[in-house]
Amino acid sequence: GENVEQHPSTLSVQEGDSAVIKCTYSDSASNYFPWYKQELGKRPQLIIDIRSNVGEKKDQRIAVTLNKTAKHFSLHITETQPEDSAVYFCAASIRGTGNQFYFGTGTSLTVIP
Amino acid sequence: EPEVTQTPSHQVTQMGQEVILRCVPISNHLYFYWYRQILGQKVEFLVSFYNNEISEKSEIFDDQFSVERPDGSNFTLKIRSTKLEDSAMYFCASSHLTSGGVETQYFGPGTRLLVL
């Protein structure tokens, strides 16, 4: 089955700096890669997703890049703010099938004011 | 914006007892899922459900677990005889079907289950 690995497990950045979180996946059939933000005690919230037919997607301060050949994708947050502090999970799935999401182990991001 | 809801938010039970966790998926969604998250660990898939039957399940989802859609709005997860290691946050999720295929999964707020 699919195996998703995520790095780093913890990340601290100064407010205003950029943060990058990286994930790799093993199943070349995976074609859908969402990113979720989970604040303490709350539900995972989708923040951005990317499908395998594109290499990059951007939404304001958040961007995701995908390298299908290398089977890795990354989340980039620019101009970080304290409210960006949360745990971020990447996931991989085969879109269009209703299949399960395979989640990474999470990255705890702390933005220091 | 519609959201997935779950009840109860917290449940404490004795080992060996049965628990039922309830979810109300987003109304026009057709695919339903249960995941669990042990404290400090990643979210793990348990089961997916479509067209009134299980479409996929993980190794975690053994004979102690069952799911049901008893009516047009609820989706339940039952654990027949709880074990200490079942203590976790349980998330329900749902997704809908468009012309482009099944879209992303939207998560409920979770039920924190503590087995004593």
Side-chain angles (χ1 to χ4, degrees):
Chain A
E2 175 67 278
N3 181 43
V4 177
E5 296 191 357
Q6 183 172 349
H7 302 280
S9 56
T10 59
L11 179 61
S12 291
V13 299
Q14 291 289 333
E15 183 177 357
D17 287 351
S18 295
V20 180
I21 303 170
K22 300 184 179 183
C23 287
T24 60
Y25 61 100
S26 60
D27 189 347
S28 57
S30 291
N31 60 5
Y32 178 67
F33 308 93
W35 284 89
Y36 286 84
K37 174 183 179 182
Q38 187 179 28
E39 296 176 57
L40 191 63
K42 297 192 176 180
R43 75 183 78 196
Q45 295 263 21
L46 177 74
I47 55 171
I48 196 167
D49 56 12
I50 191 166
R51 295 170 175 85
S52 60
N53 58 344
V54 299
E56 184 173 358
K57 182 177 178 180
K58 190 172 181 180
D59 182 4
Q60 299 183 347
R61 297 186 297 107
I62 295 173
V64 57
T65 58
L66 171 66
N67 183 326
K68 282 195 301 181
T69 304
K71 296 198 190 70
H72 68 71
F73 56 112
S74 300
L75 178 72
H76 305 252
I77 307 173
T78 58
E79 300 171 29
T80 52
Q81 301 165 3
E83 51 265 38
D84 294 330
S85 297
V87 178
Y88 291 81
F89 289 96
C90 63
S93 179
I94 301 174
R95 182 171 175 267
T97 62
N99 277 12
Q100 61 171 295
F101 283 4
Y102 294 87
F103 282 89
T105 48
T107 296
S108 178
L109 173 65
T110 302
V111 180
I112 304 165
Chain B
E1 186 177 330
E3 290 186 328
V4 176
T5 60
Q6 289 183 244
T7 54
S9 58
H10 294 79
Q11 174 124 26
V12 181
T13 190
Q14 294 291 326
M15 190 170 56
Q17 294 296 304
E18 175 183 286
V19 295
I20 298 177
L21 310 183
R22 302 179 193 280
C23 169
V24 179
I26 296 173
S27 62
N28 64 339
H29 286 190
L30 299 176
Y31 291 81
F32 315 117
Y33 312 83
W34 283 102
Y35 290 84
R36 79 171 186 192
Q37 186 179 31
I38 295 171
L39 190 62
Q41 298 185 22
K42 68 175 167 181
V43 178
E44 300 174 290
F45 170 76
L46 293 177
V47 65
S48 59
F49 192 86
Y50 170 70
N51 201 25
N52 284 320
E53 61 183 27
I54 290 173
S55 50
E56 193 177 11
K57 60 181 181 180
S58 72
E59 293 177 353
I60 303 168
F61 194 87
D62 61 22
D63 291 344
Q64 292 300 311
F65 291 88
S66 62
V67 289
E68 192 179 28
R69 185 147 167 87
D71 53 42
S73 60
N74 290 283
F75 178 52
T76 62
L77 174 69
K78 182 192 290 186
I79 309 175
R80 288 190 184 83
S81 178
T82 50
K83 303 188 284 285
L84 295 177
E85 53 265 38
D86 293 328
S87 296
M89 178 75 92
Y90 288 80
F91 290 105
C92 173
S94 68
S95 58
H96 66 290
L97 185 64
T98 69
S99 58
V102 180
E103 296 298 329
T104 197
Q105 296 175 24
Y106 295 88
F107 283 75
T111 293
R112 183 165 294 286
L113 176 65
L114 178 60
V115 182
L116 302 176

